[in-house]
Amino acid sequence: QVQLEESGGGLVQAGGSLRLSCVVSEDSFKTYAMGWFRQAPGKEREFVAHINWSGGETTYADSVKGRFTIFRDNAANTLYLQLSSLKLEDTAVYYCAADDPKRGGSVWYPDREYEYDYWGQGTQVTVSS
């Protein structure tokens, strides 16, 4: 079973920065498209960012565009999300997700949860004023 483990969350002041990491247990990570989602208290989980297998293509939610950066290190089986200019509304549990192309083909709609096959347990990000 593929395992995803997020880390790097914490408490940060508004305007600050954090870097989240997601380590994937399989070397086939380099073939996976990856995504970040988040869930704020009392809200549904929402899309944050997506990156293709090579890192050459990225997609962002409008709410984080220009502030967050998704990138990956295929040699280290690790996905990252750099969070900058954080706002109170960025407070949420952040989840990484993986799409295995051998299971369901390519990702057509990167903002849809059903496109992803594996999920991490999440890491809490809390932004304070």
Side-chain angles (χ1 to χ4, degrees):
Q1 179 71 11
V2 178
Q3 295 185 332
L4 286 66
E5 184 170 359
E6 303 96 336
S7 62
L11 177 64
V12 61
Q13 286 191 326
S17 299
L18 278 177
R19 178 175 292 182
L20 307 184
S21 301
C22 171
V23 178
V24 178
S25 61
E26 300 289 327
D27 287 342
S28 49
F29 168 80
K30 59 181 176 290
T31 68
Y32 295 167
M34 300 293 297
W36 285 99
F37 288 73
R38 67 185 182 185
Q39 187 168 21
K43 296 187 177 181
E44 294 187 353
R45 190 155 57 183
E46 65 176 5
F47 169 73
V48 175
H50 169 269
I51 190 168
N52 76 332
W53 66 272
S54 68
E57 296 179 6
T58 57
T59 306
Y60 296 92
D62 288 343
S63 59
V64 307
K65 202 171 294 183
R67 300 188 300 119
F68 291 7
T69 303
I70 186 171
F71 59 102
R72 64 192 296 161
D73 181 346
N74 284 350
N77 292 355
T78 304
L79 173 73
Y80 300 96
L81 185 68
Q82 179 69 41
L83 292 68
S84 303
S85 302
L86 282 161
K87 304 176 180 180
L88 296 179
E89 53 264 41
D90 294 320
T91 294
V93 177
Y94 284 72
Y95 300 89
C96 64
D99 169 70
D100 182 349
K102 293 183 179 179
R103 290 174 60 95
S106 300
V107 172
W108 289 94
Y109 302 100
D111 60 336
R112 310 288 172 85
E113 292 187 35
Y114 63 74
E115 291 277 19
Y116 299 89
D117 302 297
Y118 309 111
W119 291 80
Q121 294 300 307
T123 185
Q124 175 72 48
V125 172
T126 303
V127 183
S128 65
S129 59

